[in-house]
Amino acid sequence: MPLDTSAYSLALLRVDGRRWNELRRIHAQIRTQAAADGSSYLEMGHTKVMCVVNGPSEPGPRRGGVGGTSAAGSGGGGGQSKDAEVAVSVVVAGFSSVDRKRRGKNDKRILELQSTISSALGASLHTHLFPHSTISISLHVLSLDGSLLAALINAATLACVDAGIPMTDYVAACTAGSTSTYAANDESADPLLDLNHQEEQELPGLTVATLGDSDRVAVLVCESRVQVGRLEGMLAVGVDGCKQVRGIIDRVVRDKGRRMLQEGTVEKGVGLEDMDLD
Amino acid sequence: MPITILAPKPTRQAHSHNGHNDDDAMSDSGSDSSGAGGDDDLDEMVSAAAAAGLKSQRDSKYEIVTPGEVITDDPQWMRGHGTYVNPATSAIISSVAGTVSRTNKLLSVRPLRARYTPEVGDLVVGRIVEVQAKRWRVDVGATQLASLPLSAINLPGGILRKRTETDELQIRTFFAEGDLLIAEVQQLFQDGGAVLHTRSLKYGKLRNGVFVAVSGMGGGGGVVRSRRQVWTMDAANGGGQIDVVLGVNGFVWISKHVETPEGLVEKAATTGITNLEESVSATMYSSQNDRIEVDTMREIARLRGVVIALVENGLRVDEDMLIRGYHEAVEMAMVSADGLDDLYLGGEKGEQLAAVLTGI
Amino acid sequence: MPREAEPSLNERQFVLQALQENLRLDSREADRYRPLEVTFGDEYGVAKVSLGKTRVLAKASAEVTVPYADRPLDGVFQIATELSPMASPSFEVNRPTETEVLLSRLLEKTVRRSGALDTESLCLVAGQKCWSVRVDVHVLSHDGNVIDASCFAVVAALRHFRKPDTSIEGGILTVYTPAEREPVPLGWLHSPFCVTWSYFGEEGEMALLDATRAEEQVRVGSCTISLNRHGEICQIAKLGGTPVEAVILLQCTAIALTKVKEFSAYLDKKLAEDIKRRDAGGRSAELTAENDR
């Protein structure tokens, strides 16, 4: 179904009634699953993702391996690296989009998503604190309406925060696009923030993930043809969007923390004000 | 385990800001549609949100720090766990979501929830996951497997015997994969891995009961380090005596009370030392449960229900709470329709129990 | 599973320290490629690309098949990548490593999804017969930057390729052998090329082009930008790794564009030379003579 973009120039409203710089509604929750070390649920518009983090923990004995022969000392079985490994698995539910297509586990697109998320979070998580262990992140996509990679990254970040894994800062992601097609070189084309599925199909767009409040880009994925001149505008809007997303997911964590403090499940910390130096 | 996803509700703060921004955008949308003007809008909104966030944080005592938040840029503080230092600015920045704590000049952040971090002297309940030539690898819920060397267990046939090659060959007769045990953390490796020992008659293989895992240290309830982690209590309704072990790592073991080897030691004083050795070696590494009466089983199951209810309602699991919770649960069962067989403590009943416990 | 030998801590430090001093192990400047060379085989559609010690072979081929039911007017176009133990002992047969998956995805996005090949021109009889074009990419030797070399090889092979000429008369499809009719080139729309940046340093502040194997092992992140000479981005992939300032990424894109223009000019020149070489052999002249008869 072609997307009618001609109306945009008249009202400056997108198909779902948003302006160019508006995010869709983001609803997020942490600690949704009692059994996991960390878990989260995230909605970006109609894209809904669930995430569970287990670990860091050391994997048990390797199947088929000979029982460790080393007598003493740390290590022995398990992964031998000095840093924790970040293992990501993404499952896209068959009912998540309109066409009920089953995607195999070895779909290259899924493998690429997994490797991207693992590498993006691995750069922010302090993996050097957990030698020989594995942080396993499993993501389930329940509903799909564009900005998939961004939603997955945000959900994974939230779940890692919930699991109490030390990290440099949040990795927050969102998408940005442009109202012009690749061929048209019209200078008046507006950049767009947070594309939905329809826009993603029809317009050039990219996914950006940044580290915290900085302008440092952890992930930049563009899969459509676009004039090189468009990039700067799209990137700027995307980076700004990431900061907004960071603010929103940070508030989710803070709300949860405040509630836990009020319920008394966690001891109160010392305020910075009462930290007078003697 | 249940998955809880609440119905989406408007986030208060977010909405007020967005609404405000929308108004702004509406009012000047006629004149301002260029990219540059819009950019300013966006910046304004972001900075407004940031400022508001900062303010509310100062207002409330119930605020936590989140990853990436600067705790202080005063260079005289030292960084502890849960923080890192930006080499450029030497500011101390939080790396987890949690509450700030300080010890003299050491600043650290306690995460709201994290895996168990072993400390020397901790009493833990663990599960054997791997048997190696001269040691076991034990899952204690930490980031790494703990190890239990063959030399750190009580060998049968004499408490202070040197281990021999025969012991190495029959290592599986002491502990095999999947066995549960209670042990103490003896030392820590540089990288945080723990070494356990069971060189006391209090420690060793666990039998005659059930295992419950609650989330470890910190938030959401759980086991806290306390004076007494192991105790024997009298069960109601003819359940006899029940042993409870609260591992510091959040693993709990509830079992029927059996004469401890210590008890045997007292007896041994009268009956003679050979007898003791025999009875110790017979029971210490046995994988057979003793006969357990139905009444005892029912009360063990009830205690397990109390532990789970405490965790689900975000309460601490310690001796006082558990005993009070248990008595309350017995009372609740008395008045219920099914009588004593009513073991269910989930959902509303769990909340009711928690309310009674916190109400006092 | 044989694992790639990790460089030791000291090796790592040496390479990084040298880079801090603006020195690369092969004394190249940060934005210089190693000597890029492409040679074409005797057959149409075979291109061998060497970039320093990295060597990649691509072979394009075509056969007539039935189009996919959901796209009756399009031909079939596939890119198959092969990273065999020949390139490096860490690659295994029949078990795609992460490198291979990412490589094939990148080629797919750069060449196929950007519409470089006009797949509609591959259609012979709507819904019944079409050409299936397939490019096999074999990495012969892996000394870093396989992506750029592979992409160049794929584009070179496809542009060099000639498919047999066909005609339809009265519903009968005839495919001519090269002896009967001179084969025809594919419908080609634009030539995208990949440029891969590698980032080094704590905050990814150092950017290098065309990293060697040793440099790839110590880098903290990479970004592959695919462009064509008209300044259209076909794909950007910075798949995680240490975060890099947005401004640096924009600068990298600008430099990448100049590199792509160089690649494009070089490939055009090489293709022209090859045509001339074939002409000099007199083969097409011979064919023309035959047709005249």
Side-chain angles (χ1 to χ4, degrees):
Chain A
M1 176 177 43
L3 175 67
D4 184 17
T5 46
S6 57
Y8 178 78
S9 53
L10 299 174
L12 297 176
L13 288 174
R14 292 149 70 174
V15 273
D16 48 6
R18 283 182 292 155
R19 286 172 191 285
W20 65 272
N21 63 348
E22 281 176 324
L23 288 169
R24 289 176 289 176
R25 191 181 58 83
I26 296 183
H27 165 74
Q29 225 182 297
I30 58 173
R31 196 150 316 171
T32 50
Q33 258 141 314
D37 283 320
S39 49
S40 68
Y41 171 75
L42 181 107
E43 289 178 12
M44 284 175 89
H46 289 301
T47 301
K48 298 173 186 176
V49 177
M50 230 164 74
C51 179
V52 167
V53 170
N54 272 304
S57 61
E58 199 170 331
R62 292 278 154 100
R63 285 157 299 280
V66 188
T69 44
S70 60
S74 65
Q80 288 306 316
S81 64
K82 281 190 296 160
D83 298 342
E85 178 195 350
V86 183
V88 180
S89 82
V90 174
V91 177
V92 180
F95 50 81
S96 61
S97 53
V98 182
D99 50 333
R100 300 181 178 230
K101 209 162 89 182
R102 241 193 101 70
R103 289 203 177 77
K105 270 239 154 73
N106 290 323
D107 188 335
K108 281 185 180 158
R109 251 173 41 115
I110 304 284
L111 292 176
E112 189 189 41
L113 283 177
Q114 291 176 352
S115 124
T116 305
I117 297 163
S118 158
S119 163
L121 283 171
S124 175
L125 295 174
H126 292 176
T127 50
H128 60 273
L129 298 173
F130 309 106
H132 342 290
S133 44
T134 304
I135 299 166
S136 71
I137 301 175
S138 65
L139 289 148
H140 283 245
V141 181
L142 304 178
S143 168
L144 194 50
D145 184 25
S147 304
L148 173 63
L149 177 59
L152 290 173
I153 291 177
N154 293 335
T157 303
L158 270 177
C160 285
V161 171
D162 182 34
I165 304 170
M167 59 174 78
T168 310
D169 208 324
Y170 290 92
V171 183
C174 75
T175 51
S178 179
T179 47
S180 79
T181 55
Y182 72 90
N185 208 359
D186 50 343
E187 286 306 314
S188 61
D190 268 344
L192 298 175
L193 184 61
D194 195 14
L195 306 181
N196 62 26
H197 180 70
Q198 265 191 319
E199 290 168 330
E200 215 166 51
Q201 293 288 307
E202 298 289 327
L203 301 173
L206 43 79
T207 303
V208 197
T210 59
L211 182 73
D213 261 336
S214 69
D215 280 347
R216 295 173 57 203
V217 177
V219 175
L220 176 63
V221 178
C222 168
E223 300 195 333
S224 43
R225 241 166 113 185
V226 59
Q227 281 288 330
V228 78
R230 289 281 107 78
L231 180 68
E232 188 171 348
M234 281 160 59
L235 192 58
V237 169
V239 168
D240 264 339
C242 290
K243 288 179 187 167
Q244 291 183 47
V245 171
R246 184 195 182 276
I248 292 169
I249 60 180
D250 186 48
R251 219 169 292 134
V252 171
V253 175
R254 282 180 195 282
D255 282 350
K256 179 76 183 174
R258 188 182 308 121
R259 217 169 313 130
M260 286 173 72
L261 283 171
Q262 277 164 350
E263 283 168 2
T265 48
V266 187
E267 279 173 55
K268 259 179 257 173
V270 277
L272 291 181
E273 302 78 41
D274 19 285
M275 267 198 246
D276 43 338
L277 296 165
D278 339 293
Chain B
M1 283 284 182
I3 301 171
T4 16
I5 293 172
L6 306 173
K9 58 180 177 218
T11 41
R12 290 144 283 141
Q13 277 181 323
H15 252 244
S16 66
H17 284 299
N18 285 346
H20 163 77
N21 183 62
D22 280 351
D23 292 344
D24 269 0
M26 291 295 189
S27 61
D28 56 17
S29 63
S31 61
D32 177 15
S33 57
S34 72
D39 259 335
D40 288 342
D41 251 15
L42 209 64
D43 286 348
E44 249 171 52
M45 180 165 115
V46 171
S47 59
L54 222 64
K55 203 158 72 207
S56 67
Q57 172 198 337
R58 295 290 173 243
D59 286 348
S60 168
K61 277 203 159 176
Y62 295 117
E63 270 304 330
I64 57 166
V65 291
T66 53
E69 185 174 335
V70 175
I71 301 173
T72 175
D73 42 19
D74 195 334
Q76 52 185 323
W77 293 99
M78 277 161 41
R79 65 167 210 103
H81 288 295
T83 61
Y84 68 97
V85 173
N86 182 347
T89 60
S90 79
I92 295 180
I93 303 168
S94 172
S95 65
V96 294
T99 52
V100 180
S101 70
R102 67 173 176 146
T103 324
N104 292 324
K105 290 208 167 175
L106 184 76
L107 278 184
S108 47
V109 179
R110 273 193 310 256
L112 293 177
R113 174 160 76 164
R115 282 185 92 88
Y116 165 65
T117 346
E119 280 174 34
V120 173
D122 280 353
L123 180 98
V124 294
V125 172
R127 188 186 291 276
I128 307 277
V129 292
E130 189 181 353
V131 181
Q132 296 180 348
K134 284 176 183 160
R135 61 169 183 170
W136 293 271
R137 308 272 284 152
V138 189
D139 177 15
V140 291
T143 60
Q144 292 171 49
L145 297 177
S147 71
L148 174 68
L150 182 57
S151 56
I153 66 161
N154 273 327
L155 294 159
I159 298 167
L160 293 172
R161 178 164 71 78
K162 204 168 154 25
R163 74 183 155 90
T164 62
E165 277 178 19
T166 331
D167 293 327
E168 278 176 33
L169 288 175
Q170 50 183 348
I171 186 163
R172 268 201 178 71
T173 59
F174 307 132
F175 294 110
E177 289 90 344
D179 283 353
L180 283 164
L181 59 98
I182 166 173
E184 189 181 297
V185 177
Q186 186 172 36
Q187 67 176 71
L188 293 179
F189 285 122
Q190 198 82 63
D191 60 10
V195 184
L196 307 178
H197 79 96
T198 62
R199 284 226 143 181
S200 158
L201 291 174
K202 289 182 293 192
Y203 305 146
K205 193 177 273 190
L206 293 169
R207 300 189 300 140
N208 302 329
V210 290
F211 171 82
V212 193
V214 307
S215 74
M217 310 282 301
V223 179
V224 284
R225 290 190 177 86
S226 62
R227 213 160 26 91
R228 219 153 61 124
Q229 305 277 145
V230 184
W231 71 89
T232 306
M233 57 193 279
D234 288 318
N237 314 317
Q241 284 193 309
I242 293 179
D243 281 339
V244 180
V245 180
L246 295 182
V248 182
N249 54 346
F251 290 176
V252 176
W253 180 255
I254 307 164
S255 62
K256 177 192 170 191
H257 177 72
V258 206
E259 283 284 284
T260 56
E262 276 160 340
L264 290 172
V265 175
E266 282 153 32
K267 263 192 213 156
T270 54
T271 54
I273 199 84
T274 30
N275 208 340
L276 161 78
E277 276 177 15
E278 272 164 22
S279 53
V280 166
S281 43
T283 56
M284 193 163 29
Y285 295 108
S286 160
S287 296
Q288 291 288 314
N289 276 344
D290 299 335
R291 205 192 120 62
I292 308 172
E293 291 72 30
V294 177
D295 287 342
T296 317
M297 283 198 210
R298 189 187 60 224
E299 295 313 310
I300 288 176
R302 197 189 306 284
L303 257 172
R304 175 178 170 278
V306 174
V307 172
I308 292 172
L310 286 176
V311 176
E312 268 177 13
N313 293 287
L315 296 174
R316 268 146 210 253
V317 181
D318 57 15
E319 184 180 357
D320 173 54
M321 274 297 221
L322 199 51
I323 292 179
R324 270 170 43 210
Y326 174 69
H327 290 310
E328 196 55 47
V330 172
E331 300 280 309
M332 280 164 69
M334 293 279 203
V335 297
S336 84
D338 291 342
L340 290 175
D341 284 335
D342 186 6
L343 292 172
Y344 180 68
L345 284 170
E348 274 177 31
K349 288 189 85 176
E351 282 164 27
Q352 196 186 330
L353 179 73
V356 175
L357 288 176
T358 44
I360 301 167
Chain C
M1 184 174 62
R3 284 187 61 168
E4 206 168 327
E6 294 248 325
S8 76
L9 216 60
N10 301 4
E11 261 177 295
R12 198 177 278 269
Q13 261 178 11
F14 182 87
V15 176
L16 288 177
Q17 250 169 21
L19 284 177
Q20 297 277 12
E21 305 292 328
N22 277 327
L23 179 72
R24 289 175 81 166
L25 294 186
D26 43 11
S27 75
R28 268 183 296 151
E29 286 139 51
D31 57 352
R32 271 280 292 282
Y33 264 78
R34 288 170 288 180
L36 175 76
E37 239 172 88
V38 58
T39 47
F40 297 104
D42 287 337
E43 256 180 282
Y44 282 121
V46 179
K48 206 165 94 182
V49 171
S50 67
L51 190 61
K53 279 186 183 162
T54 299
R55 291 191 300 145
V56 179
L57 177 86
K59 166 128 176 52
S61 51
E63 62 177 359
V64 177
T65 55
V66 182
Y68 293 125
D70 52 338
R71 303 188 141 264
L73 294 176
D74 278 349
V76 180
F77 175 37
Q78 279 182 311
I79 303 175
T81 48
E82 184 79 45
L83 282 176
S84 65
M86 191 199 297
S88 157
S90 64
F91 299 126
E92 266 180 276
V93 193
N94 292 334
R95 193 194 286 170
T97 55
E98 199 178 283
T99 332
E100 184 169 350
V101 170
L102 295 184
L103 172 66
S104 82
R105 273 289 289 166
L106 264 171
L107 293 178
E108 171 103 11
K109 285 192 281 189
T110 305
V111 184
R112 215 169 80 101
R113 286 191 38 158
S114 76
L117 180 67
D118 181 13
T119 47
E120 281 179 25
S121 72
L122 297 176
C123 177
L124 297 169
V125 182
Q128 288 173 24
K129 286 279 178 276
C130 72
W131 283 110
S132 157
V133 175
R134 177 190 161 105
V135 190
D136 288 278
V137 182
H138 285 256
V139 178
L140 305 177
S141 147
H142 180 5
D143 187 34
N145 208 6
V146 174
I147 290 173
D148 295 6
S150 305
C151 180
F152 194 94
V154 169
V155 172
L158 283 169
R159 286 189 57 185
H160 186 251
F161 183 62
R162 301 283 185 274
K163 68 174 195 288
D165 201 2
T166 53
S167 70
I168 301 169
E169 269 173 50
I172 296 168
L173 175 73
T174 323
V175 179
Y176 298 101
T177 61
E180 289 166 345
R181 274 197 199 180
E182 180 69 355
V184 292
L186 298 167
W188 194 252
L189 298 177
H190 68 115
S191 301
F193 295 99
C194 292
V195 174
T196 302
W197 287 91
S198 298
Y199 298 99
F200 299 85
E202 199 89 316
E203 303 203 336
E205 66 275 1
M206 256 184 304
L208 298 186
L209 269 182
D210 188 26
T212 62
R213 188 80 180 277
E215 286 164 344
E216 274 185 2
Q217 281 177 322
V218 300
R219 73 181 172 194
V220 294
S222 72
C223 177
T224 303
I225 304 165
S226 309
L227 296 142
N228 59 23
R229 69 189 160 91
H230 312 297
E232 286 166 3
I233 295 168
C234 299
Q235 172 275 130
I236 299 178
K238 183 187 186 308
L239 306 176
T242 297
V244 174
E245 287 289 342
V247 182
I248 296 184
L249 285 173
L250 288 174
Q251 287 167 357
C252 288
T253 317
I255 299 173
L257 183 57
T258 64
K259 292 287 160 196
V260 164
K261 285 179 178 161
E262 285 171 28
F263 286 162
S264 203
Y266 175 71
L267 182 59
D268 287 348
K269 194 185 90 187
K270 279 291 185 183
L271 282 167
E273 277 175 19
D274 185 69
I275 290 172
K276 212 180 276 175
R277 182 173 66 87
R278 280 165 196 273
D279 257 355
R283 195 169 163 222
S284 68
E286 210 175 281
L287 280 170
T288 343
E290 244 175 40
N291 287 342
D292 279 346
R293 183 158 48 117

